[in-house]
Amino acid sequence: MGTTSELQSLDKLVSNSLSGQDLQEFNRIHYGRISNHELEIKKNNILFGNENHFEIAAYKFPANKEETRKPRIVKVGVIQNSIAIPTDQPVTKQRCAIFEKIRKIIETAADEGVNILCLQEAWSMPFAFCTREKQPWCEFAESALEGPSTIFLKEFAVKYGMVIISPILERDEVHGDTIWNTAVVINEMGNTGHPVFETSFGKVAVNICYGRHHPLNWLMFGINGAEIVFNPSATVAGLSEHLWAVEARNAAIANSYFTCAINRVGTEKFPNEFTSGDGKPAHKEFGHFYGSSYVTAPDGSRTPGLSRVMDGLLIAELDLNLCRQIKDKWGFGMTQRLDLYVSSLSKAVNHDYEPQVVPRD
Amino acid sequence: MGTTSELQSLDKLVSNSLSGQDLQEFNRIHYGRISNHELEIKKNNILFGNENHFEIAAYKFPANKEETRKPRIVKVGVIQNSIAIPTDQPVTKQRCAIFEKIRKIIETAADEGVNILCLQEAWSMPFAFCTREKQPWCEFAESALEGPSTIFLKEFAVKYGMVIISPILERDEVHGDTIWNTAVVINEMGNTGHPVFETSFGKVAVNICYGRHHPLNWLMFGINGAEIVFNPSATVAGLSEHLWAVEARNAAIANSYFTCAINRVGTEKFPNEFTSGDGKPAHKEFGHFYGSSYVTAPDGSRTPGLSRVMDGLLIAELDLNLCRQIKDKWGFGMTQRLDLYVSSLSKAVNHDYEPQVVPRD
């Protein structure tokens, strides 16, 4: 489903064109560290990835040793994937085909010791929201508790002792068959607000797609104690590619936690033409989902991104102690003066708010 | 005062190593646009810059034409500079030497038609805060209303009809000789809160240095109607260079305004050794101030950065209509739900706040 004319990876393009001192300076300034701290991947998994056309990349974010706390090492994995068969095939067949490719990537993640795994937004279906058509796409919606995706993933969660975050289109039968853009934390579930999930491997939260544009949204997850915030997304080159490296990374910096930005891959063709509210003629493709999933640490350093065109598994070994170490070092929580902003914002939302403007003489 | 072993510019390093389609893709993904829309600079000014060792760069951010509003074109200029003579020289002599090099750059900016000009943090002195010594550095502090920097800049502001933003160390004699890290908007002045200054060329605000780390700080300037927010800074490679391209750019994206990030240049050597609270031995240099000043538009596109080692003048011609066009397109103001956060944050600041945590089973 990928288009071969697409650039494979901006990160690789730049890295491959530099060497020696220049490459070191690029790494230091762009990624925030001279070495990417690559983790070794098992040979059989590299082979398996090549055979099955998915990329595997693995990096490490160490923290300093402390006297009173042990290292809190956790391995997170994020998966980016294209759809598996054309969108005019039966819904169940499309989902099963995605399950089959995801199964292989999850087995690989498990074999590499991943503790917390997060899939992309609406991972088990094409990103059909762009068509604004309801049928047949709403038939992909499923119960968060006992739908096919949850049943499929539960098996792995139990078998490998993994926490799996599954962003799906939910059909909420308890609340009048409502459709939600949901993330299921297996085996736990969240709804409104900014819930943080306590897992065996640390406190995690999920900020779905568009939510990455709002700094206050990221802030509340931090206030509620998140140590890793996943941002499962589905976004295309023309909309957002130059923002992709900025927003989730800024959130990690501003809130002293890890962020994992996950984007779908490939170009998805739909049976019927549709418009995108941009004055352009009707089309059958929304654009190229550019993948490029990456992980940022609380100190602002980041991994290279996964491919722009291939399915991929990105693994990052984190020491969660780094969160508090950076809070202590940078002191943003101490200096952000939330109480002041409660007062400023409560004034700002009033209908008769007067902006603080110093007029011209 | 620069060190020759420093990399000149990451942007240039990468751009020079790419060409053709690869360079276009880099520009599209990294800067957010394939062409940097370079503005022509007058030949005499290029020559003058070469002779006097400062870089000049100029770019344009156009907006779409509208039916009911005329374009609102404004040219902003930002200046990054190193100090001019060693820090053990008399205070007045040091300041005068900086004035002399700045005079040349301002004359150039005026000749290029700049409307709003912003200097770097504490531009008229070495960045001596790092030494934690009070003498003689506090002698650089000056009256915001009638100190030497204000008098010096007022002349240009009047002569060229320019708004000049002058970040200085202020000595506030009216309030008990207090020292402030201030930005003077000539001929206007602000103090606490998040004031936005209405000028003939648009609404501007100033977020000084460390304030760039706080998304809520940027947010309030947006709420108060800012169209351009300047971030005059002084920060060194080891502290923040990998954050530099992220934070002010994210603020422009999140708040649909232009941001101008300005950093000082060079390595400043002080007479007495000092420590930096990082366990390292005492030293006489704080680190390398890496310049790299840049401008970001509300659509997230940005200019290349100025040099990491040279004084420089960066000019950007903006159409302020782009702010509202992007607000209409992206709708972040509409979707950010400030009222919800007033409620969430007012709970979060309570001493008995209970974070929204979903416990393990």
Side-chain angles (χ1 to χ4, degrees), chain B residues 38-97:
Chain B
E38 291 191 44
L39 281 178
E40 204 175 341
I41 300 162
K42 294 181 187 169
K43 270 188 193 151
N44 59 309
N45 288 331
I46 295 173
L47 279 173
F48 188 68
N50 287 343
E51 278 162 20
N52 292 283
H53 311 291
F54 66 91
E55 182 186 7
I56 313 173
Y59 308 92
K60 190 175 174 173
F61 288 100
N64 291 332
K65 283 206 172 163
E66 299 183 22
E67 185 184 316
T68 59
R69 294 193 303 179
K70 288 184 184 160
R72 299 174 59 218
I73 309 295
V74 53
K75 248 187 196 176
V76 299
V78 305
I79 295 176
Q80 65 177 36
N81 66 279
S82 55
I83 54 176
I85 56 171
T87 56
D88 58 1
Q89 295 287 304
V91 162
T92 314
K93 209 172 159 191
Q94 285 186 58
R95 182 162 53 211
C96 284

Side-chain angles (χ1 to χ4, degrees), chain B residues 191-222:
Chain B
N191 192 353
T192 55
H194 298 82
V196 166
F197 299 87
E198 199 170 2
T199 76
S200 317
F201 311 107
K203 289 183 180 163
V204 306
V206 191
N207 186 0
I208 300 174
C209 199
Y210 184 94
R212 74 179 176 280
H213 301 310
H214 290 307
L216 282 165
N217 200 359
W218 292 104
L219 174 70
M220 280 309 300
F221 291 119

Side-chain angles (χ1 to χ4, degrees), chain A residues 97 120 289:
Chain A
Q120 74 196 14
F289 294 97

Side-chain angles (χ1 to χ4, degrees), chain A residues 196 214 224 242 299 335 353 358, chain B residues 196 224 242 299 335 353 358:
Chain A
V196 167
H214 291 307
N224 287 331
H242 64 295
D299 64 4
T335 58
Y353 177 62
V358 181
Chain B
V196 166
N224 287 331
H242 64 295
D299 64 4
T335 58
Y353 177 62
V358 181

